[in-house]
Amino acid sequence: MVDERFDADFLAQFADLRPEWQFVILGPVVKIDPAELPKRPNIHWLGPKLYDDLPDYLAHWDLGLMPFALNAATRFISPTKTPEFLAAGLPVISTPIVDVVRGYGEAGLVEIADTPGTAALAAEALMARARAPWLARVDARLAGDSWDRTWADMEARMMAVLGEPMSDSPRPVLCETV
């Protein structure tokens, strides 16, 4: 989703630094004026896509870019796009979102870039490096994550605070649209 969390200036400057690269953006534009999004020959706004179609797009990408603005809307986010890009085998560059830095950046699984210039340099380095060792580390990290594990951890924490079992509670149904 392209909304107030998206740093359009970051993308525009990055695209200007690498005019020979193509930047493909998927997802609906909400809560912001689409007319204010950067227009460049190398930026392609494709709009919303079916979740089932995403692997076809990702298979043609060199890396995943997460240009989040650093503002109140992103202060406490934990972007699901991070493990999705990683699970697709894509190197990832993100602006310094706390959960991305702590969960993936510090482990060397995601490159953190606070400027378009550092993002461009990181992208060049990522595309030049061997992926196999990095993918092995990514797979090991992702193998320990799941919605079931997240739910179990949350349930355990709530039980510790509430002091009552939640074992009869219905399990959440999680879905996501793009």
Side-chain angles (χ1 to χ4, degrees), residues 37-60:
L37 295 173
K39 309 291 188 276
R40 306 283 192 281
N42 61 338
I43 299 177
H44 309 281
W45 301 96
L46 301 188
K49 300 296 173 197
L50 294 175
Y51 204 75
D52 289 344
D53 293 339
L54 291 181
D56 292 332
Y57 287 95
L58 299 178
H60 294 89

Side-chain angles (χ1 to χ4, degrees), residues 38-122:
K39 309 291 188 276
R40 306 283 192 281
N42 61 338
I43 299 177
H44 309 281
W45 301 96
L46 301 188
K49 300 296 173 197
L50 294 175
Y51 204 75
D52 289 344
D53 293 339
L54 291 181
D56 292 332
Y57 287 95
L58 299 178
H60 294 89
W61 292 1
D62 294 310
L63 47 86
L65 177 65
M66 301 189 323
F68 285 102
L70 301 178
N71 59 32
T74 62
R75 186 171 177 195
F76 299 109
I77 66 169
S78 184
T80 57
K81 293 299 165 232
T82 313
E84 290 173 351
F85 280 148
L86 293 172
L90 289 175
V92 179
I93 299 171
S94 177
T95 51
I97 298 299
V98 172
D99 276 5
V100 178
V101 172
R102 288 185 187 156
Y104 303 95
E106 291 173 354
L109 302 177
V110 168
E111 293 298 319
I112 306 300
D114 57 356
T115 69
T118 57
L121 294 174

